[in-house]
Amino acid sequence: MSEDTHDRNFASKSRLWIAGWEVDISSHRMSRAGDTIKLEPRAVAVLVYLADRPGQAVTREELEREVWRGLVVGYDALSNSVAKLRKAFDDDPKQPRVIETIPKVGYRLVAELGNKPPAPPPSEPAEPNRNLERKLAAIFYADVADYSRLTGEDEEGTHRALSSCLDLITASVENYNGRVVHFAGDALLADFSTVSDALASAIAVQHELGVRNRDLPNASKVQFRIGVNLGEVIVDRDDIYGDGVNVAARLEGLAEPGGVCVSGAVFDAIGNRLPVDYEFLGEQSVKNIAKPVRAFHARLRAAAVLPQPSAPRRALQRSRWSRVTAGGVAMVLLAAVAIAIWLAPWKAEVAPGLPSSAVTSEKPSVAVLPFINLSADSSQEFFADGLTGDLITDLSKLSGLFVIARHTVFAYKGQPKPITEVAKELGVRFVVEGSVQRAAGRIRINVQLIDASTGANVWADRYDREEMDVFAMQDEVIADIVDTLAVTLTEVEKTRLVRPRTTNLEAYDAYLRAEALRLRFYEGDAIELYREAIALDPDYADAYAGIALSAFEIWRWDSNQIMPTATARRLTYDAASKLLSLDDGDSRAYAVLAMIQSIDGQHVQAIDSARKSVNLDPNNADAHAALARVLITAGEHAEAQAVMKTAFRLNPKPPAYYNGEMGMAAFFRRDFNQAQELFKKAGYGYGRWLAMAYAEFGRIDEARAEMDKLRESGFVLFGNLAYYRTLYAHFKRGEDLELVLGALKKAGVPEWPYGYQPVAEHQLNEKSLSEITLEHTWLGHNSSGSPFVQQFTNDGRVVFRSRASLLTGTAQIRTDLLCIEFPGALLGREECGYVYRNPEGRVEDQNEYVRVAIGDIYYFSVKP
């Protein structure tokens, strides 16, 4: 049986009949002649897998791989599950009737399969062509732990206690605006319109039950397990069905007695809104759900208090008469408000550090909120996020729209705020929201466009396609939104909308996974996945864009631990060049090239490339930020500030570095007060700039304290003016470089590493330098004692080896300076320094000489 066939069979089962027992897979129970036994979920999974292969020997490795998919498990995990099954079936491992151990191999199901009771009479035929309602719901599933034992010991007492507990749970569900859907013996199913209410109710229930059980002996406690999930359900005759319910039931089985287990969808949606701590249980393979589910234990924090339930919906209802009577007045007021909103552009939240006059737009303004992943497989979250990102990317290319950036809208992920509130915070009129469900080779997308000025749906549609049609489906969504908003497209934009895409769904999956990693700053891992996408489709333009963006960040931040920076620089150029050969209108390629050109001191070319990037994608906030950066290095600080205001408007909840770019523009315009406030908001990566702003503002003690803090943390590796003089050598204006160096000096930064004070009379001259470099080898250690070897050839080549590095480059002697250039270090820039005799040094200690480099102090002796 193929793996795919097994997955389909496994997912389709609901019951098994083994050795005369009926096994209900969904509830993890087995029953016979009125006896019921609750099984552990993983034990049921092992049983089902063996039942799919009756009489076949199944290896331990196969069972662990298929039942504990993607999880690393100990040797005892499978043995314990089999032991629990044998106990339930009263099976003797020495004379097995159900599961036989195959020594040094695995297990085999030897029990009789069948004994299925006669099929019930056929039910009434379903109502033909009846449309079933679907909705997004928070599902609460509760069940008693160890119920069979409790009833066996005290049937009447357990029943009375259970009834009391179910009354308590029902009251809590209703108090938190939920609805009890049905009871099933010792289990209860409820649904809520908000996931916060569902989880708060579950926590409140367990707290109250814990109080009731406090003084009872453990054997007498009636303890519930509760599972909470967020997902799409089918509503039929006041009941709910579907994977959303099934996952909640499986989570209940994973919960501790007296505990609450929630899905990844609930965890993502709640965020920090409730005083709850989470324990990640990993991705759990649960029965009848095709893919693993992220699971978390949820516990109320010590001494924390749950927020009061929101006002019950029924309390907000008014009589029919009051609604009708107020209707006329309300309609007049609503009309007046709507007209005022239509005539006045929505004001954006003022970006940090900006003047109170926010930038506004008369274009239709749109925010695309993260699509909700309704797939049973929580790992498909990347797919929902990727579709959202693609939609934002395509809409942002249209000059007739104003589109909020991805970074900002994803700050709202899992935060069910009213649409009108979101729109007001973002300064937009229209909001797009939707959901994605991917299963069995098909993709369903529900999308709606909401006019936030009225709260009404302007347009909504459902798209249901085969997986391979996902790209055409994206084009349809874009076209429908553009048509609804009556946006006029230029001929160029019509061409640009049909962007080069892959036709390979595997390549698209790899690309979306890579994007998810890159946006979390895992550039090295992202590049590997982009390469995987390119291996599947060599002309995949988006994948080359991802490599260019990732490699640039590695090079820019000198992240040699991920990739040699010389390699990263070459990779950035190559990927951007390939991208332009596939799509010469891709904004991302020009933004990357602009940044590299700026660092190389090619300011005119950098500004041209950055402007082209902005023109090609006018709603791309990061393109504006890149333009601002190259304007800063070119000395155009006032324009940089104006460009950053647009970036903030497009991305009202921006990444931290936006504040840093705006702070740099303010710093060079000598507005040190505003600069220090912006650098504080930019965070740790701009601590050096904050120290400079403090220094120039006259707060010298705070400036030096900031630099000391950075040194202690190890963040400042090369804290000396010689290093910064080289690092910022690409600044076009000399006065900008001198302002930086002067501020750093005020902040206590020394001229040379570690405050080294050279003695001029010990300095080697040009002749002496030649005698110890050409065709010679240096053996020594740096200031921290780490050994190194450096070899010079007669033709000016040099090789440097240490425990952490292997660098090759060139060396020159200029008068009394030794200048070395390693393409893989310091952005490929040349560093020049002096060499001194060490009067206290000895050959055997390898410290006869001292080379003062901009990054370190090197002590060494020389051998031919």
Side-chain angles (χ1 to χ4, degrees):
M1 181 184 297
S2 72
E3 188 171 305
D4 289 344
T5 303
H6 164 65
D7 285 344
R8 287 194 293 272
N9 291 345
F10 184 76
S12 66
K13 295 180 186 298
S14 60
R15 279 176 168 76
L16 293 172
W17 284 265
I18 301 177
W21 288 83
E22 178 184 354
V23 181
D24 186 332
I25 297 173
S26 62
S27 65
H28 313 132
R29 285 178 169 80
M30 52 188 283
S31 56
R32 183 180 66 179
D35 292 331
T36 301
I37 297 175
K38 182 75 177 290
L39 297 172
E40 291 294 328
R42 198 73 70 178
V44 178
V46 171
L47 183 62
V48 171
Y49 197 85
L50 292 172
D52 269 351
R53 298 155 180 78
Q56 297 180 26
V58 182
T59 66
R60 292 186 63 92
E61 292 76 12
E62 181 179 350
L63 280 165
E64 290 174 351
R65 182 179 68 247
E66 297 301 325
V67 175
W68 283 268
R69 290 202 173 177
L71 299 178
V72 178
V73 297
Y75 186 86
D76 291 339
L78 176 57
S79 300
N80 289 339
S81 294
V82 172
K84 290 174 182 177
L85 289 172
R86 283 175 170 155
K87 181 179 179 181
F89 283 105
D90 193 21
D91 190 29
D92 184 353
K94 295 180 180 179
Q95 296 180 324
R97 295 176 297 101
V98 181
I99 299 174
E100 178 186 6
T101 300
I102 310 297
K104 298 183 180 180
V105 177
Y107 301 96
R108 174 166 54 203
L109 186 74
V110 295
E112 179 185 0
L113 292 175
N115 299 331
K116 180 176 180 180
S123 58
E124 293 292 323
E127 185 179 334
N129 300 323
R130 183 163 61 89
N131 291 326
L132 296 175
E133 177 190 349
R134 289 180 179 270
K135 71 174 184 178
L136 183 65
I139 305 101
F140 171 119
Y141 190 91
D143 198 357
V144 176
D146 210 9
Y147 184 66
S148 298
R149 179 189 61 78
L150 290 168
T151 55
E153 294 175 356
D154 181 3
E155 187 174 11
E156 289 189 9
T158 299
H159 181 73
R160 286 194 297 270
L162 173 63
S163 296
S164 175
C165 291
L166 291 176
D167 288 343
L168 181 153
I169 297 174
T170 300
S172 177
V173 166
E174 293 177 350
N175 189 41
Y176 281 91
N177 302 314
R179 175 181 74 100
V180 174
V181 177
H182 67 235
F183 299 93
D186 60 323
L188 176 149
L189 175 67
D191 72 346
F192 297 75
S193 59
T194 72
V195 70
S196 297
D197 281 346
L199 181 55
S201 175
I203 296 289
V205 162
Q206 295 294 36
H207 175 73
E208 183 62 30
L209 290 175
V211 172
R212 289 192 178 192
N213 284 323
R214 185 178 299 157
D215 298 326
L216 295 176
N218 289 336
S220 302
K221 293 179 179 178
V222 176
Q223 293 182 299
F224 279 77
R225 295 184 174 99
I226 300 178
V228 181
N229 182 40
L230 174 65
E232 187 178 76
V233 298
I234 298 171
V235 182
D236 188 16
R237 297 180 180 88
D238 293 326
D239 210 337
I240 57 176
Y241 307 88
D243 280 348
V245 176
N246 295 339
V247 170
R250 305 306 180 271
L251 292 166
E252 173 270 316
L254 296 173
E256 304 164 328
V260 179
C261 185
V262 304
S263 66
V266 172
F267 173 81
D268 293 337
I270 293 291
N272 295 319
R273 290 201 308 280
L274 292 177
V276 173
D277 290 324
Y278 299 93
E279 177 190 350
F280 184 44
L281 302 180
E283 292 196 340
Q284 300 287 330
S285 297
V286 296
K287 301 303 152 284
N288 289 347
I289 303 299
K291 301 293 183 180
V293 176
R294 283 187 302 146
F296 300 80
H297 282 318
R299 301 182 181 90
L300 187 68
R301 291 176 191 148
V305 178
L306 284 170
Q308 291 298 311
S310 54
R313 291 186 293 276
R314 60 182 179 273
L316 301 179
Q317 296 176 354
R318 297 177 293 171
S319 69
R320 180 182 177 189
W321 183 89
S322 67
R323 291 197 299 271
V324 172
T325 306
V329 176
M331 287 300 293
V332 172
L333 291 173
L334 285 173
V337 172
I339 291 171
I341 292 173
W342 179 270
L343 293 176
W346 285 56
K347 290 186 177 180
E349 183 182 76
V350 178
L354 299 186
S356 58
S357 56
V359 182
T360 58
S361 172
E362 295 181 358
K363 306 173 185 177
S365 49
V366 181
V368 182
L369 296 182
F371 281 21
I372 297 171
N373 173 36
L374 298 183
S375 306
D377 181 2
S378 61
S379 69
Q380 291 297 316
E381 196 76 22
F382 80 93
F383 191 80
D385 291 349
L387 288 181
T388 307
D390 280 354
L391 186 57
I392 294 170
T393 296
D394 286 340
L395 289 174
S396 72
K397 295 174 182 174
L398 307 182
S399 59
L401 287 177
F402 187 91
V403 183
I404 297 297
R406 174 188 173 121
H407 189 280
T408 285
V409 296
F410 270 79
Y412 290 89
K413 183 171 180 175
Q415 298 186 21
K417 279 190 173 184
I419 292 298
T420 51
E421 185 179 338
V422 172
K424 185 174 182 181
E425 289 180 5
L426 298 182
V428 298
R429 179 175 174 187
F430 297 99
V431 175
V432 177
E433 65 174 3
S435 63
V436 181
Q437 189 169 21
R438 185 184 189 187
R442 296 191 69 83
I443 297 174
R444 175 191 293 164
I445 301 179
N446 293 295
V447 191
Q448 57 182 344
L449 178 68
I450 300 168
D451 185 342
S453 66
T454 62
N457 279 20
V458 179
W459 158 82
D461 209 342
R462 173 180 291 182
Y463 305 82
D464 195 342
R465 302 284 191 277
E466 295 288 338
E467 275 188 334
M468 291 308 302
D469 296 331
V470 62
F471 311 115
M473 184 164 54
Q474 290 178 18
D475 290 339
E476 287 182 47
V477 174
I478 294 292
D480 288 342
I481 293 174
V482 168
D483 288 344
T484 302
L485 295 178
V487 178
T488 301
L489 304 181
T490 67
E491 291 302 317
V492 172
E493 287 172 345
K494 291 177 183 177
T495 303
R496 290 288 304 130
L497 261 186
V498 188
R499 61 191 177 91
R501 286 189 174 98
T502 183
T503 57
N504 186 311
L505 192 58
E506 288 185 69
Y508 186 57
D509 263 11
Y511 167 75
L512 292 183
R513 292 180 190 277
E515 282 287 276
L517 288 171
R518 181 179 67 83
L519 293 168
R520 299 204 311 271
F521 308 110
Y522 294 108
E523 290 91 355
D525 294 333
I527 287 175
E528 292 306 310
L529 279 171
Y530 289 129
R531 284 173 167 159
E532 184 178 318
I534 290 169
L536 294 164
D537 182 354
D539 292 330
Y540 195 176
D542 282 342
Y544 285 105
I547 288 179
L549 293 168
S550 301
F552 173 74
E553 290 301 316
I554 293 172
W555 176 64
R556 175 187 182 187
W557 295 107
D558 208 19
S559 301
N560 276 290
Q561 73 278 12
I562 300 176
M563 180 186 299
T565 49
T567 303
R569 178 188 175 94
R570 182 72 264 166
L571 184 58
T572 303
Y573 267 120
D574 289 347
S577 299
K578 179 64 175 179
L579 173 58
L580 289 177
S581 72
L582 294 169
D583 181 8
D584 63 359
D586 195 293
S587 168
R588 295 166 293 186
Y590 290 104
V592 168
L593 289 174
M595 298 287 278
I596 294 176
Q597 289 164 339
S598 176
I599 291 173
D600 285 346
Q602 301 173 359
H603 301 292
V604 174
Q605 299 92 321
I607 292 173
D608 287 345
S609 295
R611 291 196 196 285
K612 190 164 188 177
S613 175
V614 168
N615 291 337
L616 287 167
D617 199 348
N619 289 294
N620 188 331
D622 289 346
H624 286 83
L627 173 58
R629 166 55 73 95
V630 301
L631 287 169
I632 289 170
T633 58
E636 304 293 340
H637 309 306
E639 185 180 353
Q641 280 186 318
V643 171
M644 279 308 301
K645 288 179 183 178
T646 303
F648 272 111
R649 175 65 182 95
L650 288 163
N651 202 349
K653 296 180 182 294
Y657 80 88
Y658 277 34
N659 288 296
E661 303 299 326
M662 182 66 90
M664 288 171 66
F667 179 83
F668 287 119
R669 297 195 75 190
R670 274 56 174 180
D671 188 348
F672 304 118
N673 185 40
Q674 185 187 40
Q676 63 189 2
E677 294 305 316
L678 286 162
F679 290 138
K680 286 178 188 176
K681 292 172 182 173
Y684 204 51
Y686 286 84
R688 179 171 63 240
W689 287 91
L690 176 59
M692 287 190 276
Y694 278 153
E696 292 300 317
F697 198 63
R699 299 166 67 174
I700 302 299
D701 290 343
E702 289 165 276
R704 297 191 173 187
E706 188 68 26
M707 289 303 299
D708 289 341
K709 189 192 328 180
L710 293 172
R711 287 191 200 96
E712 290 168 5
S713 68
F715 192 81
V716 176
L717 298 177
F718 308 121
N720 61 86
L721 297 182
Y723 169 73
Y724 293 122
R725 187 176 286 108
T726 302
L727 183 66
Y728 297 121
H730 61 291
F731 284 173
K732 182 179 180 180
R733 300 197 323 163
E735 54 265 45
D736 289 346
L737 178 58
E738 291 308 313
L739 175 62
V740 167
L741 296 175
L744 289 169
K745 188 172 183 178
K746 292 177 186 177
V749 176
E751 179 66 31
W752 293 104
Y754 305 103
Y756 182 82
Q757 297 293 331
V759 178
E761 63 191 57
H762 296 156
Q763 180 184 313
L764 299 188
N765 57 26
E766 183 176 358
K767 181 176 180 297
S768 299
L769 276 174
S770 299
E771 290 172 353
I772 67 169
T773 53
L774 303 181
E775 295 294 335
H776 282 74
T777 299
W778 294 0
L779 299 172
H781 56 84
N782 66 5
S783 54
S784 62
S786 179
F788 76 91
V789 178
Q790 187 157 291
Q791 297 172 299
F792 299 87
T793 66
N794 203 37
D795 57 358
R797 288 179 293 136
V798 61
V799 177
F800 177 90
R801 292 196 306 262
S802 70
R803 289 172 179 168
S805 304
L806 174 59
L807 302 172
T808 61
T810 58
Q812 295 184 49
I813 296 173
R814 297 197 192 123
T815 315
D816 296 337
L817 283 172
L818 175 61
C819 297
I820 299 176
E821 181 179 335
F822 291 123
L826 200 63
L827 303 178
R829 292 177 183 165
E830 183 181 69
E831 63 160 324
C832 298
Y834 297 103
V835 178
Y836 300 87
R837 289 186 181 85
N838 183 7
E840 299 176 359
R842 300 187 307 168
V843 175
E844 56 270 26
D845 293 332
Q846 297 183 348
N847 64 355
E848 288 183 283
Y849 299 94
V850 181
R851 177 178 173 243
V852 184
I854 64 174
D856 210 337
I857 306 294
Y858 294 94
Y859 300 87
F860 63 93
S861 294
V862 180
K863 75 171 188 176

